[in-house]
């Protein structure tokens, strides 16, 4: 099946017609130009696989200077261009000079059809090889970007984490798109990496895109790539993140931050499995598995004014909800031990024990920043702790919460119902009777908090 684009440049209409007829079974599209002034724009638009370039255009011209000048313009636009120069009979010196300046091969007029076809097919194969090598170089640059947290394993044996691991185990071997929901710091990227590690694409790349950090003006270029000269700062061809992830996994972090007006572009690329670089009209096929993550709630995602529902359906074939740390407190000791050991080795510090009362306070803390906050707290403790064991002061917990714990621990009233009522009331007052915030502070669901309020007449 014919594929690719050829560009034939000659001022002789008969040559253009003969070239078009000869190559129509080899290329899917053949573009012709009789005016050399039109060539730069055609090269920028089509990025031809092969360019057949005449060397003289003005009546009586034989020096090839017009062709050399045009050759330089083409190479400046597309350094990987494959150019076959067309010379008059006996123009071997011009052909040799053209090849020094970037041409790939030459044919002489009048050409032999078999010789022309063989030359063009060889040139097209060279173009394909160059493109593949260029894409691999660019992919290496994209993938080489370090990703924070990649060395941290998914830890925890709580029932909530067992459910998460079960979903990962079942979804990973498939090519189903996965949407990961969870608060900031819960480890959404770790889940994405675990999905990739256990998938059939594990030997390919995983490319991450933080959509919260991509400027709207650069969205198309960042995701779909661009051609040299397509805008002011496009100084070279660049593949986008989708093409860099070809064959592997694309992780779209903070998908909820993608502006509504840009969401159709991502949806189209996912549906067609093709991307069109900025400055090109030539789609590139991509084979990717998409894993995305957001801290938006299901209710926010279901709001059409925030997120397109057709895109949501495309993203969440499988949905994994990561629990906040306050809902899996039993995992805090193992997480803390992991990070204290990790940073102890990093900073060459002696491993110290965590007393039971300190661990109890750390388990009772709500950890608004979740696992990420716990990790930072462990690093600080390792660096600053001066005693033989860790003290609660070594961990950067808000003093107000520590004071509340001390107040609660020092009270002489040990009646559990009264203590629970006081705690619920304190949380409600602290947050101005905002049920959601108070429930979060207490580590409860809204429904659970309402039940306790009813129980205590609050």
């Amino acid at each position: 099946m014919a594929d690719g684009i050829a560009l034939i440049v000659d001022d002789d209409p008969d040559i253009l017609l003969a070239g078009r007829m000869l190559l129509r079974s080899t290329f899917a599209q053949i573009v012709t130009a009789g005016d050399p002034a039109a060539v730069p724009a055609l090269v920028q638009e089509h990025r031809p696989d092969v360019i057949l370039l005449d060397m003289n255009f003005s009546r009586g011209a034989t020096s090839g200077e017009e062709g050399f000048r045009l050759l330089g313009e083409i190479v400046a636009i597309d350094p990987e261009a494959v150019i076959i120069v067309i010379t008059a009979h006996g123009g071997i010196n011009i052909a040799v000079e053209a090849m020094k300046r970037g041409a790939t091969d030459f044919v002489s007029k009048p050409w032999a059809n078999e010789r022309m076809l063989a030359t063009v097919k060889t040139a097209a194969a060279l173009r394909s090889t160059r493109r593949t090598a260029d894409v691999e170089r660019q992919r290496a640059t994209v993938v080489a970007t370090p990703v924070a947290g990649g060395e941290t394993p998914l830890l925890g044996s709580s029932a909530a984490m067992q459910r998460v691991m079960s979903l990962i185990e079942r979804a990973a071997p498939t090519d189903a798109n996965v949407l990961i929901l969870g608060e900031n710091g819960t480890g959404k990227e770790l889940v994405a990496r675990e999905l990739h590690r256990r998938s059939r694409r594990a030997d390919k790349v995983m490319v991450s895109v933080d959509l919260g950090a991509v400027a709207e003006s650069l969205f198309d270029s960042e995701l779909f790539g661009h051609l040299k000269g397509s805008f002011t700062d496009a100084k070279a061809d660049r593949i986008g993140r989708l093409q860099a992830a070809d064959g592997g996994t694309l992780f779209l972090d903070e998908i909820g931050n993608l502006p509504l007006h840009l969401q159709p572009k991502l949806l189209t690329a996912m549906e067609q499995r093709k991307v069109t670089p900025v400055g090109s009209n030539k789609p590139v096929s991509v084979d990717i598995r998409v894993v995305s993550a957001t801290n938006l709630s299901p209710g926010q995602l279901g709001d059409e004014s925030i997120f397109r529902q057709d895109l949501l359906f495309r993203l969440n074939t499988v949905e994994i909800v990561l629990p906040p740390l306050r809902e899996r407190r039993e995992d805090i000791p193992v997480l803390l031990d992991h990070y204290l050991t990790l940073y102890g080795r990093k900073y060459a510090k002696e491993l110290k024990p965590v007393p039971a009362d300190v661990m109890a306070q750390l388990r009772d803390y709500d950890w608004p920043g979740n696992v990420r906050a716990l990790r930072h707290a462990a690093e600080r403790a390792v660096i600053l702790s001066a005693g033989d064991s860790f003290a609660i002061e070594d961990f950067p917990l808000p003093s107000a919460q520590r004071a509340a714990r001390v107040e609660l621990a020092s009270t002489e009233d040990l009646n559990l119902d009264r203590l629970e009522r006081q705690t619920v009331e304190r949380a409600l007052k602290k947050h101005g009777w905002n049920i959601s915030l108070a429930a979060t502070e207490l580590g409860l669901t809204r429904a659970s908090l309402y039940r306790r309020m009813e129980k205590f007449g609050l």
Side-chain angles (χ1 to χ4, degrees):
M1 181 178 177
D3 191 21
I5 300 175
L7 171 62
I8 308 173
V9 184
D10 201 295
D11 62 333
D12 186 339
D14 292 336
I15 293 292
L16 296 180
L17 178 60
R20 180 188 289 276
M21 297 296 291
L22 179 63
L23 301 181
R24 63 183 177 180
S25 62
T26 304
F27 294 94
Q29 183 179 359
I30 298 172
V31 180
T32 58
D35 180 3
V39 172
L42 291 173
V43 172
Q44 179 66 47
E45 179 183 359
H46 296 286
R47 292 302 170 104
D49 297 274
V50 175
I51 300 172
L52 290 168
L53 176 64
D54 190 21
M55 297 301 289
N56 295 293
F57 297 94
S58 300
R59 183 181 298 275
T62 59
S63 67
E65 285 304 318
E66 294 169 302
F68 291 139
R69 183 168 58 254
L70 194 52
L71 177 63
E73 292 178 10
I74 293 171
V75 172
I77 295 169
D78 183 3
E80 302 297 326
V82 172
I83 305 166
I84 300 172
V85 298
I86 305 173
T87 65
H89 182 69
I92 188 68
N93 291 334
I94 291 177
V96 170
E97 180 61 27
M99 293 175 71
K100 288 180 181 178
R101 299 190 188 192
T104 302
D105 209 336
F106 73 97
V107 292
S108 298
K109 298 177 185 176
W111 63 65
N113 285 349
E114 290 186 2
R115 157 74 173 159
M116 170 66 92
L117 283 173
T119 301
V120 167
K121 288 179 180 179
T122 300
L126 174 62
R127 175 64 162 177
S128 177
T129 300
R130 285 183 179 179
R131 278 186 169 148
T132 300
D134 187 45
V135 167
E136 289 303 318
R137 283 195 299 271
Q138 294 183 54
R139 177 180 286 125
T141 301
V142 172
V143 176
T145 304
V147 180
E151 76 284 358
T152 303
L154 274 173
L155 297 172
S157 57
S158 62
M161 284 306 293
Q162 287 179 16
R163 288 193 294 270
V164 169
M165 295 306 295
S166 175
L167 285 171
I168 292 173
E169 184 177 359
R170 285 177 284 164
T174 74
D175 267 347
N177 293 335
V178 179
L179 176 63
I180 307 167
L181 304 180
E183 296 178 7
N184 289 332
T186 49
K188 296 186 289 295
E189 183 169 326
L190 299 185
V191 172
R193 293 194 168 276
E194 190 68 11
L195 285 165
H196 177 69
R197 188 183 70 82
R198 297 191 185 196
S199 74
R200 290 174 294 188
R201 299 169 179 260
D203 60 333
K204 304 296 183 180
V205 297
M206 173 175 161
V207 175
S208 297
V209 187
D210 183 353
L211 292 175
V214 177
E216 289 188 29
S217 59
L218 298 177
F219 175 82
D220 287 356
S221 173
E222 188 70 21
L223 265 68
F224 309 136
H226 63 251
L227 299 185
K228 179 181 178 182
S230 55
F231 53 89
T232 304
D233 293 327
K235 303 188 185 309
D237 288 359
R238 182 179 185 274
I239 64 171
R241 296 301 179 106
L242 273 74
Q243 193 177 352
D246 186 36
T249 301
L250 178 70
F251 176 49
L252 299 175
D253 200 6
E254 303 295 349
I255 187 74
N257 287 348
L258 184 61
L260 196 61
H261 69 278
L262 294 179
Q263 292 175 21
K265 296 184 177 183
L266 177 60
L267 176 62
T268 299
M270 291 181 63
E271 288 180 336
Q272 298 180 354
R273 293 191 171 273
K274 291 181 179 180
V275 297
T276 303
V278 178
S280 173
N281 61 2
K282 193 173 180 180
V284 179
S285 296
V286 291
D287 171 24
I288 55 174
R289 183 204 194 163
V290 177
V291 177
S292 49
T294 180
N295 59 7
L296 292 185
S297 68
Q300 290 172 308
L301 284 173
D303 185 342
E304 282 277 8
S305 67
I306 297 176
F307 210 85
R308 289 180 63 106
Q309 297 308 287
D310 46 2
L311 177 57
L312 179 61
F313 295 148
R314 178 68 63 173
L315 292 171
N316 73 337
T317 304
V318 176
E319 185 175 283
I320 297 177
V321 180
L322 269 177
L325 195 51
R326 63 183 175 275
E327 292 182 7
R328 57 180 186 115
R329 297 180 188 273
E330 58 268 48
D331 291 333
I332 289 176
V334 68
L335 287 164
L336 189 63
D337 179 69
H338 170 78
Y339 289 124
L340 290 175
T341 302
L342 174 71
Y343 289 114
R345 290 173 181 164
K346 178 178 179 178
Y347 297 115
K349 297 283 189 177
E350 181 181 354
L351 294 179
K352 300 176 182 180
V354 180
D357 64 321
V358 174
M359 183 63 78
Q361 292 185 65
L362 293 173
R363 283 189 57 162
D364 288 344
Y365 182 53
D366 287 338
W367 296 104
N370 294 296
V371 179
R372 183 182 297 134
L374 177 67
R375 175 178 182 156
H376 292 161
E379 183 175 17
R380 178 187 186 277
V382 167
I383 294 171
L384 299 180
S385 176
D388 295 330
S389 62
F390 289 106
I392 193 62
E393 290 74 19
D394 296 327
F395 298 89
L397 307 186
S399 57
Q401 290 211 11
R402 286 209 301 269
R405 282 195 301 271
V406 171
E407 178 186 342
L408 187 61
S410 61
T411 181
E412 294 181 0
D413 187 354
L414 298 180
N415 181 279
L416 289 177
D417 276 349
R418 283 194 293 270
L419 289 175
E420 185 177 15
R421 186 187 192 283
Q422 291 169 10
T423 303
V424 170
E425 189 172 10
R426 186 183 300 117
L428 288 167
K429 288 180 178 178
K430 175 181 176 181
H431 294 287
W433 294 82
N434 183 302
I435 303 300
S436 296
L437 294 178
T440 298
E441 177 93 0
L442 292 166
L444 300 173
T445 63
R446 285 171 56 92
S448 296
L449 178 54
Y450 275 126
R451 285 196 295 271
R452 284 166 172 78
M453 290 172 65
E454 184 179 4
K455 173 184 175 182
F456 300 125
L458 297 174

